[in-house]
Amino acid sequence: MPSLFSPVTLRDTEIRNRVMVSPMCQYSAENGFPTEWHRVHLGSRAVGGAGIVMTEATAIEPRGRISPQDLGIWSDDHAEALEPITSFIRSQGATPGIQLAHAGRKGSTTRPWEGHDPLGPEEGGWETIAPSGPYPYPDAEPPRTRTMDHDAVTDVIDAFVAAAERALDAGFEIAEVHAAHGYLLHEFLSPVANDRDDEYGGSFRNRTRLTREVTAAVRDVWPDGKPVFVRVSATDWLPDREAWDLADSIRLAPALAEAGADLIDVSSGGTHPDQQVPEAGPGYQVPYAESIREDTDVPVAAVGKVTEPTHADALVRNGRADVVALGREHLRHPQWALEAAHELGAEIEWPVQYGRARFE
């Protein structure tokens, strides 16, 4: 079996190893534009040896942001501002990826360290959109949440397409569609947030329609040789009500592959604050990724408190995941991949500037 530090090829794109920097919101953009913080944050993880460096959730339109400080790609100027970052990531041998996102009813809030409170119009807040309602995310009411009509659904698909085209111009090699964590596409998937009675609600096929259409639309404009990922929440963690669960995710995965997804990035939760997440131990979400991989043969990324190199390597060697995504551990250790390769006895290319620090 391949190891954590073996290359992986998706379509025609060879990725130097199976370590991915998981998307992590930094809440440090200015009107959607990256700042020096993003250049250093993302660039240092590329220097640190990761195979894939994925941006935070990047809004496809202004109202698709979680907070006013979210990264965005709704204009050509945003793409131009991101290009130096992708160029540097590639220069370090890593593969740059972008997570294309829309916050839906979970938008228009302050940053986490400011309370994650709803923003009113006088505070720079905006009207959010959702599949059903008009009701916002529970316990976090923004100014107003508007139910999307058919034209609004079409507009969102078009915005994803335009964002993907700009991402390509900016030099990204992987496009990830964000359909997890209770944001807009996940809201359509889950009966907890979707009670529509049109072709985008009700049955499993209807509730999954928008995610499938967005994936296919992004695939249509993304080069044939470059991969498309989709991030999903494998479960809503709401066992006591009708909700999205692992069986739904397993059922969805081959449909996403048919729509053009090359890898499913498997996370969980986010639809409702009453979610019942069990005590989160190391790799607590890995069984979801493993189940999707076993039942569908679609490549997966596993994420969730994977911190130890031996654990991450075992996930790949034992065929439980094709890629291992680390979030918080990359915040603690930007050079995690270099350190992990040393611990595992794997050969990995170091930046020449860091050569004097290379482990013997």
Side-chain angles (χ1 to χ4, degrees):
M1 297 296 292
S3 70
L4 184 66
F5 287 98
S6 62
V8 57
T9 300
L10 296 170
R11 294 192 176 246
D12 297 332
T13 301
E14 183 176 273
I15 300 160
R16 65 180 173 182
N17 60 54
R18 313 300 182 99
V19 178
M20 182 170 93
V21 177
S22 195
M24 294 176 285
C25 289
Q26 299 297 293
Y27 302 103
S28 299
E30 297 176 358
N31 195 29
F33 288 92
T35 62
E36 288 302 296
W37 178 269
H38 296 90
R39 185 193 296 260
V40 173
H41 167 68
L42 295 169
S44 63
R45 275 75 193 167
V47 169
I52 300 170
V53 177
M54 186 74 68
T55 69
E56 63 193 80
T58 306
I60 60 170
E61 62 173 3
R63 64 181 174 179
R65 294 171 294 170
I66 305 165
S67 78
Q69 292 79 26
D70 281 23
L71 196 62
I73 191 163
W74 60 80
S75 78
D76 293 345
D77 290 339
H78 288 93
E80 184 177 349
L82 285 162
E83 194 281 330
I85 297 176
T86 64
S87 179
F88 181 79
I89 291 171
R90 288 196 309 275
S91 76
Q92 300 307 302
T95 302
I98 184 169
Q99 187 182 69
L100 303 174
H102 197 297
R105 66 178 186 163
K106 292 181 77 173
S108 190
T109 69
T110 60
R111 295 178 286 192
W113 58 84
E114 296 169 339
H116 222 323
D117 300 315
L119 285 169
E122 70 284 354
E123 302 165 304
W126 56 89
E127 178 187 69
T128 60
I129 57 174
S132 303
Y135 50 78
Y137 183 72
D139 301 329
E141 296 189 6
R144 190 164 73 86
T145 299
R146 179 168 61 84
T147 302
M148 297 168 64
D149 59 18
H150 194 274
D151 287 343
V153 171
T154 301
D155 289 345
V156 162
I157 297 171
D158 291 344
F160 268 102
V161 169
E165 291 173 329
R166 293 187 185 104
L168 185 63
D169 290 341
F172 289 100
E173 297 182 41
I174 298 170
E176 177 168 277
V177 174
H178 194 2
H181 300 161
Y183 298 118
L184 185 64
L185 297 185
H186 187 189
E187 291 163 22
F188 274 85
L189 293 173
S190 175
V192 171
N194 184 349
D195 59 13
R196 299 173 72 99
D197 59 6
D198 65 356
E199 67 268 36
Y200 290 98
S203 68
F204 174 88
R205 180 166 180 79
N206 285 352
R207 284 185 286 108
T208 63
R209 187 183 305 276
L210 181 57
T211 300
R212 291 184 285 108
E213 289 181 343
V214 167
T215 302
V218 170
R219 177 74 271 170
D220 282 348
V221 298
W222 204 246
D224 287 343
K226 298 182 186 296
V228 171
F229 293 2
V230 180
R231 174 163 260 198
V232 301
S233 281
T235 176
D236 285 338
W237 295 114
L238 295 167
D240 299 330
R241 67 184 77 183
E242 184 183 5
W244 186 263
D245 60 18
L246 178 59
D248 293 318
S249 295
I250 292 171
R251 187 178 174 188
L252 175 63
L256 292 177
E258 184 178 350
D262 302 291
L263 179 142
I264 310 298
D265 184 4
V266 185
S267 187
S268 68
T271 306
H272 197 283
D274 292 342
Q275 61 185 12
Q276 300 171 38
V277 183
E279 186 172 348
Y284 73 104
Q285 295 178 137
V286 170
Y288 296 128
E290 182 180 19
S291 294
I292 291 171
R293 190 180 190 274
E294 285 182 347
D295 288 13
T296 65
D297 292 327
V298 179
V300 298
V303 64
K305 288 200 171 182
V306 178
T307 62
E308 297 299 323
T310 52
H311 183 193
D313 187 58
L315 296 180
V316 177
R317 286 187 183 274
N318 295 329
R320 303 181 70 190
D322 302 276
V323 170
V324 180
L326 295 90
R328 289 172 176 82
E329 194 64 11
H330 265 123
L331 297 182
R332 291 184 282 261
H333 300 287
Q335 281 77 40
W336 186 90
L338 296 179
E339 296 170 5
H342 170 67
E343 181 174 327
L344 296 170
E347 285 295 324
I348 185 172
E349 185 175 350
W350 276 57
V352 293
Q353 297 91 337
Y354 284 8
R356 73 193 75 175
R358 186 164 184 162
F359 300 110
E360 298 298 333

